[in-house]
Amino acid sequence: MKMDASKESKRRSGLGEVWHRLKKNKAAVVSLFILLFLFIVAIFAPYIAPYPYDKEDFSQSFAGPSREHLLGTDRLGRDVLSRLIYGSRQSLQIGLYSTILAALAGIIIGSIAGYYGGWVDNALMRFLDIYQGIPMFLLCVTLAAVLGPSLRNAIIAIGISSVSGYARLMRASILTVREMEYIEAAKAINASNARIIRKHVIPNAISPLIVSITMSMGNSVLAGAGLSFIGLGVQPPIPEWGAMISDARAFLRGHGTLALYPGICVMITVLAFNLLGDGLRDALDPRLKN
Amino acid sequence: MIKYCIKRILLIIPILMGITLIVLIFIDIAPGDPARMMLGNEATEEEVQALREELGLNDPFVVRYFRFLGNAVRGDFGKSYMNNRPVADEILQRFKYTLIISVLSVSLAVIIGIPLGVYAATHQYSWKDNAAIALSLFFISMPAFWFALILVQLFSIRFKILPPAGIESWKGWVMPTVSLALGYIALITRQMRSNMLEVIRQDYIITARAKGQTERKVLYRHALKNAIIPIVLIIGTLFGMSLGGAMIAEIIYSVPGLGSYMLSGLTSRDYPVILACSFFMSTIFSIVILLIDLAFAFIDPRIRSQYVRRRRKTAEEA
């Protein structure tokens, strides 16, 4: 049985092997499809949404679900479903861009610290100590407030406040990988530094990073919704899930469902990112699985 | 060991200085002029400049930085631009609310999360384990402020058993604490479960079973002791998260805590309030992290011995 598995895996490339293992995890596959679906909805929002997100109709305010408005309307008579569809754009943008920003900065800082070691490493790590001394959400809120509330600034604020995790992760992976026996073996057969870095260090250091990137996209979506909820993120009339919950807050008595839908959207998105991250972790590192 | 403790305590000072520097830089690059905001749009440019001079906003960056630090050491954080009250008084008054919410929610997370994680791990792949894992995933993925509103909808509007806002009686604390704690419970449960599963596969557990130890003792004396150690570290992180998270709970349930104070300072460009709040919260956070680091060093003999060894090494080098 074991022999078969190893034979089989030899025929597949690295990426194919990961995909093969990921496919076995039903939750991860479903999450992947949910995320694909969400991205498609976000990209084609103007074609999918039945109404423009800012079309007001005061005669229809707080209308219940009907054939015209599947999820009803809000205080200004705007179609809730359309606003949810447009809202996916802001949430996914925040999740995607802030994570890319944080990961890039973190990878650069972490790699420099890990490779060079010595005083460079020490200085960078002390800087991160200071940085992490500020509770993360506090840093995020402060940055968003001083930069001024907008989608772009929310992305920057969330990105900057999550850099240190990546930097530490990257540094730690590089440090562990550097000490591994297979690096010693590669050195023993006289492999060049470039080859060692390309063939051994990066592939082995990158998988925890991919998992963490996936998971933190979910967290960024959450943080973005939180910022918009307290009024420091995306500004009206542009719909954003967190801001929609904030709008609905005043009408909990009587129109509680208005707060319900955007929250469910956030939860499904974050859940999908988390489940995919879990699945990727198992797929990328088979040692962890039992 | 004592040397390590002292070194670790002294490390707080540069960290706090650095945090102040970072926050001051943020404030400096921010657009918007607090003097202009205080005087309104009708004020002339001369009036604005005079006020800036009076507030010390025109001083060089370094001067402002060290003036803040010097005053902060003496417990003086200046006066709020908005209502001219000393910021330090206001913080002391409000701080207890934030601290209570943070401590209660983190404690609740520990009390529920650890047993739940152990239970899930010892019943791995049973439906109870699956349910615990699925539920905790849901709770991690849920926006806390949304859950807070659902709690209001259920317990204040539908069943009318808890007040929707305010903390006049103990009932007022229930929803802020629970809404914040739920995500943390989920985090600890997941972490505890995976720690436990990892520990159970270790050789010393096999040894303990082989010598005929009862399963109960194997679990609670050998496995739990080792699996619980990493949780101590997470508690520090959770506490930091809860200081930030309390901000949202404070806004929703109108608790007069530090978070809502800081947010009002941020939106009105009240620099002394922003600086003091971030300084204060970061100090508390650093102290908690310090205590946990020290506790960590004391409870885990493996780590304790590391420090002893490291100290010997540095002594040799010197």
Side-chain angles (χ1 to χ4, degrees), chain B residues 249-261:
Chain B
E250 282 166 20
I251 294 165
I252 292 177
Y253 299 109
S254 33
V255 178
L258 266 191
S260 48
Y261 189 43

Side-chain angles (χ1 to χ4, degrees), chain B residues 225-240:
Chain B
K225 241 181 175 175
N226 285 292
I228 220 164
I229 287 174
I231 298 289
V232 178
L233 268 192
I234 294 177
I235 293 174
T237 320
L238 279 188
F239 186 79

Side-chain angles (χ1 to χ4, degrees), chain B residues 261-278:
Chain B
Y261 189 43
M262 171 132 180
L263 189 66
S264 74
L266 279 170
T267 44
S268 56
R269 302 238 171 271
D270 201 339
Y271 291 172
V273 174
I274 304 173
L275 267 174
C277 282
S278 41

